[in-house]
Amino acid sequence: MARALALLFLLQHKEGAELAAAAQMVEQMNQLYAAGQYAEAEALGERVLAIREQALGPKSPEVAQAATKLALICQKRGQLDRAEALHRRALAIRQAALGPRHADVADSLHNLGALYLLEGAPDRAEPLLKQALAIREQALGPLHAEVAHTLHNLALVEKMRGAYERAEPLQKRALEILEAARGPDHPEVMSVVNNLANLYDAMGALDRAQPLYERALKTRERLLGPSHPDVAMSLNNLAALYERQNAYDRALPLLERALTIREQALGPRHPEVAQTLTNLAGVYTYKHDFARAEPLFLRAIAIREAAAGKDHPSLVGPLGNLATMYVEQGLAERAVPPAERALAILERTLGADHPQVSDLLAPLAIAEVNRGHIERATALLGRALASAEQLAGRVRLVSTEARMTAFFEAQQQTFDMLFSLAAARPADSALRRLALATALLRKGRTIDQAADLSRAVRQGLKPSDRARFDELRTLRSRLASLTLSGPGRLEPERYRDTLDRLARDAEFIEQELAQRSALLRAQRQLPGPDDVVARVADQLPGEGALIELVAFVRYDFAARKWAELHYLGLVLAHDGTVGAADLGPAGALDPSVSRLLAALRRPDGDAMPAARELERRLLAPLARHLAGRRALLVSPDGVLHLIPLDVLHDGQQYLIDRYAVSYLTSGRDLLRADQAKSAASAVLVADPAFGGAGAPAAERALSDWLAPLPGTRQEAEAIRALLPRARLLRGHAATEPALLGLEAPGILHVATHGLFLEDSAPAPHTRGLNLAPDPAAPAPKSPLLRSALVLADARLAPPAADAQLDADRPDGLATALEMAGMNLWGTQLVVLSACDSARGEIRMGQGVYGLRRALIIAGAQTVVTSLWRLDDQVTRDLMIGYYRGLLGGQGRAQAMRTAALEVRRTHPAPYFWAPFLVIGQTGPLKLR
């Protein structure tokens, strides 16, 4: 008995010593894990697990803890099957020993869910993560760091599915909790920062992703040292972003450094090494160094196959990029197998609607074109459009206008390829129809994004949301005032910082409103690619035709490279027939536009030669598709936004003699619901009183440019005689707050000076104004700050030293940025009888960023704007004739045509009769 007790004592002493030694091993293992030395950490982890199993039994919670740590190490080493078995064992032990609602059980659920994310199985991960989140929130509280970790992984589930609108708020909530719990520079915080950047990267918002990537890299280098695997991850991600920005020389050294770190820390066959190899090979592909790229792609594929099998979604990247490399070399037959294999893996694992699908379809389509399989290529590009549209529908619900712009820019090459194919084969009916569907769904979408948010706030959200929208308007007014006034007494750096802060604050509120209105805006979905053409055709008048003009970068399939900017013309008739014509390179057509515009802007200019040349280049190729038409609804692109087609001449007649022409942002505009009010509610703003008599000299400086405009007063009085119930704001009543504060009048007519930054000096007796910006001020970041209407008591007050602008003291300049915040939902017609009101910054596919865009965003159904400086007296006569036609029942486009033809009798130069564009709805006004 004594001997047995002694033996038991010795065994217990030995077990205690071994457990103590295991505890020391755990500390060493954690240090090795933190340093990225995973092989050494794994060896210690196995010893710790064995000691605890022998000393405490296989079902002890301490064994579960050791199994969990070893599983995490195995994940880092790419041993996913072994990691899964260990996580499942730990979960079973904890559920049996601790109960199903214990926090340690949540840890195992979370870890197993995170492993399934690594395996590309979001559907397996989500229920485990949701269960873990519920336990953690109940056991630890909603603001605990472990709650943040689970939210972070749930965000990755949504990102993997392409549901970015659900991923972003989860990721941002996780970051907020973790920063409060751990501090802003903790390594766990950097993981969330990195993945939030990944999300913005996938959404195309590279400007938001880049500073987050840079923050993660800088912090990880400082905390973990320059050779840690997490540093390599940040290097890899930042380099991949540089690749998407075409900054390959910046990406290359980062990728080479990341590869060295990962091979040394993780071994040459680790999956993270494969990621860097893929990106490095991509850089070599873009540099056309195919001899170096191909072996890197093949090595990456081999590593991925060995680690996760031949059907894992991690193979999609290297396979798709390998196919792209073969396309670049003209090796179509070699490109198809890896592209099709990648596509099949993606469809099988993540679904046919996953965002990456459209990325794979483009190189496959090029390969099919080069193989002569045009029908197959068309089908692939059609599928790419459908996939991209589905993703766009998700992104739009939670994105600002700026983010949607970045999103569409990231996808543009695929659709440029489609337009290139349609221009090369205009006789192909399937291609014509698909190209038109693409134009209808893509052109002007960022205008829709901003207008969609404006409408939701004005018509569907709570008063608190509308108050928040008013805060946004105030911020934009401050930004506009400070931008136009220049730095004044502020130091240049502080001035720029103040502008950036105001812009950031405005972006934050816009994002907040987008998220709040997501459910409301989800009810208003666009038709899909399969039926958008037919839906638009149904809205066309029987004798009308829609002309979609598309500017795109042409892909040269034979030379396998991107070529010059090009134009394509697409025509849609009411019966649904689609015509197409290649309009040639912009290098040939744009100079014709410039020559015509230069002649049109002078009363004595001879526009006829350029008008005939542009008719030949632009309209003649489309003539056979316009036979029998009387009305043209035109959606321009590129510099074609800046000319009135009315002045084109075929040698016998101007276009205005043959057609009534109106303009659309996109033919998609015809699908908008008619919410217009009766035109009996009209507001006329004219003849503002310029220059307050008591204003300080510095604030009256603008009045030196402001000539009185007696024609605007006569114009407004004549229109008021036609609309006797109209409200007239003139003199000191024609103020900026009075204009911006209007609530959806049926008609809004503004006759005053127009302002366009950095333009030439105005001619006498015109409604134009030049504002030379302060040379110390940076160029406005927003093009909506370059255009404005000048109202009563306009001033340019330099900011005070503290840069606190008084929002209640307006500067008399209604910029396009501010006018975009107006409430014009229900307004049938807005007329800007001011110089240069149709001008702005041109963005391919998205229109002109200026006053015309602002008013459409604000809700105006039809906008009438000018392309050059207006003669004060002749414009008065033209506008009086326009309103007479409107009140006589003519449509909004036809009434302008009638008035222009009347003015042409006494003033034959197009300068006088052709300055105005009618944009939007063309039908008669609803008159009470």
Side-chain angles (χ1 to χ4, degrees), residues 635-685:
S635 170
D637 205 353
V639 298
L640 299 175
H641 280 288
L642 299 181
I643 55 164
L645 297 186
D646 281 339
V647 306
L648 300 191
H649 204 282
D650 65 358
Q652 297 180 347
Q653 291 178 306
Y654 285 109
L655 196 73
I656 194 174
D657 297 313
R658 292 170 274 159
Y659 302 101
V661 181
S662 61
Y663 300 86
L664 302 166
T665 301
S666 160
R668 185 182 66 252
D669 294 350
L670 297 175
L671 303 179
R672 289 181 178 173
D674 186 353
Q675 299 179 337
K677 294 182 177 181
S678 166
S681 166
V683 176
L684 312 175
V685 181

Side-chain angles (χ1 to χ4, degrees), residues 151-172:
L151 289 168
H152 171 226
N153 278 326
L154 281 169
L156 295 180
V157 167
E158 300 295 0
K159 175 180 178 288
M160 192 172 289
R161 290 171 170 163
Y164 301 152
E165 77 281 5
R166 294 196 293 270
E168 185 183 9
L170 289 170
Q171 200 74 278
K172 291 172 77 173

Side-chain angles (χ1 to χ4, degrees), residues 343-601:
L343 188 59
I345 292 171
L346 192 60
E347 291 173 331
R348 188 164 51 249
T349 57
L350 298 179
D353 296 329
H354 193 271
Q356 282 182 270
V357 167
S358 61
D359 296 335
L360 290 170
L361 293 169
L364 188 54
I366 297 178
E368 295 293 9
V369 170
N370 290 336
R371 295 169 80 193
H373 301 167
I374 304 302
E375 186 175 345
R376 165 76 169 148
T378 303
L380 290 168
L381 290 170
R383 189 174 166 199
L385 175 62
S387 175
E389 274 302 299
Q390 187 170 54
L391 180 58
R394 294 170 175 172
V395 172
R396 65 177 275 274
L397 298 180
V398 293
S399 290
T400 63
E401 181 188 357
R403 287 203 205 171
M404 282 300 288
T405 299
F407 173 78
F408 285 124
E409 286 175 351
Q411 298 179 328
Q412 189 58 42
Q413 279 195 349
T414 298
F415 303 108
D416 282 350
M417 191 178 304
L418 169 60
F419 294 134
S420 300
L421 192 57
R425 304 175 67 89
D428 189 316
S429 60
L431 270 172
R432 292 198 306 265
R433 196 168 189 87
L434 181 57
L436 179 58
T438 304
L440 290 172
L441 289 170
R442 289 276 145 164
K443 288 178 67 179
R445 281 291 287 278
T446 56
I447 302 178
D448 280 3
Q449 180 70 9
D452 206 21
L453 177 60
S454 169
R455 177 170 49 192
V457 171
R458 295 295 188 187
Q459 298 183 348
L461 297 185
K462 299 180 295 185
S464 60
D465 296 315
R466 288 193 286 274
R468 195 74 170 133
F469 191 70
D470 288 340
E471 289 182 48
L472 176 62
R473 295 179 65 192
T474 299
L475 280 171
R476 287 173 172 172
S477 291
R478 291 176 176 170
L479 180 62
S481 296
L482 189 57
T483 299
L484 295 177
S485 66
R489 296 189 295 276
L490 290 176
E491 292 293 329
E493 184 175 353
R494 187 176 176 194
Y495 174 73
R496 288 190 294 269
D497 288 345
T498 303
L499 291 177
D500 290 343
R501 176 178 54 78
L502 290 170
R504 284 195 307 270
D505 290 348
E507 171 84 4
F508 178 83
I509 294 177
E510 187 182 351
Q511 179 68 42
E512 177 187 313
L513 289 170
Q515 291 173 345
R516 290 184 187 180
S517 64
L519 289 177
L520 180 66
R521 292 184 295 121
Q523 301 169 11
R524 292 187 286 269
Q525 295 290 345
L526 288 174
D530 293 336
D531 60 357
V532 66
V533 173
R535 291 273 301 276
V536 171
D538 287 343
Q539 300 301 314
L540 288 170
E543 295 185 342
L546 169 68
I547 301 178
E548 285 282 355
L549 300 171
V550 180
F552 64 98
V553 178
R554 186 176 70 88
Y555 185 79
D556 187 330
F557 291 93
R560 303 185 302 279
K561 66 179 182 179
W562 294 99
E564 74 284 353
L565 189 68
H566 212 81
Y567 285 100
L568 173 67
L570 298 160
V571 179
L572 176 65
H574 177 70
D575 62 4
T577 57
V578 179
D582 180 1
L583 302 180
L589 195 147
D590 286 358
S592 300
V593 173
S594 297
R595 286 190 288 272
L596 177 59
L597 195 55
L600 290 173
R601 286 177 172 169

Side-chain angles (χ1 to χ4, degrees), residues 88-108:
R88 285 196 168 280
R89 181 182 175 192
L91 175 60
I93 293 171
R94 285 170 166 171
Q95 285 176 327
L98 304 173
R101 306 293 296 175
H102 195 276
D104 287 353
V105 171
D107 289 350
S108 288

Side-chain angles (χ1 to χ4, degrees), residues 862-883:
T862 303
V863 178
V864 176
T865 57
S866 66
L867 287 166
W868 52 79
R869 293 199 162 105
L870 308 174
D871 181 272
D872 189 34
Q873 298 298 317
V874 175
T875 300
R876 174 201 63 192
D877 297 338
L878 188 148
M879 281 297 160
I880 293 170
Y882 181 50
Y883 278 91

